Amino acid sequence: MKNMLDSQAIEIPCPHCQRKLSETIGKLKTNPVLRCRYCSNEVKVDATQMRTEIAKVEQSLAKLQRSLGRLGK
Ligand SMILES: [Zn+2]
């Protein structure tokens, strides 16, 4: 379950050009600094924002597991 979460990508809006960057949770936990691929600026991912995004992913994973459970019956 932990590895499954780490492999999920979350979207981080670039504060410089406002475009959305996608990176996996596992990578962001190790290094919460991204290089924007559009404007080449550094993007530091805020810990609070990351927790919010992770919570969203956890919710959708839980939802997915529930629907998979229903399919299995
Ligand atoms: Zn940018």
Side-chain angles (χ1 to χ4, degrees), residues 3-69:
N3 290 340
M4 196 174 163
L5 188 65
D6 281 356
S7 67
Q8 297 294 310
I10 54 175
E11 283 190 333
I12 307 294
C14 173
H16 307 283
C17 69
Q18 318 303 323
R19 296 205 215 207
K20 286 196 172 167
L21 310 170
S22 179
E23 189 53 88
T24 60
I25 292 172
K27 177 112 185 289
L28 289 172
K29 276 185 187 164
T30 326
N31 177 24
V33 181
L34 294 177
R35 172 77 58 184
C36 178
R37 80 178 85 111
Y38 304 103
C39 67
S40 304
N41 277 302
E42 242 181 30
V43 180
K44 287 197 178 76
V45 183
D46 180 69
T48 310
Q49 185 190 10
M50 201 164 124
R51 270 198 297 273
T52 310
E53 292 299 322
I54 290 174
K56 272 192 234 167
V57 172
E58 273 174 337
Q59 270 176 11
S60 59
L61 279 181
K63 222 181 272 178
L64 186 72
Q65 276 179 336
R66 276 199 298 274
S67 52
L68 285 178

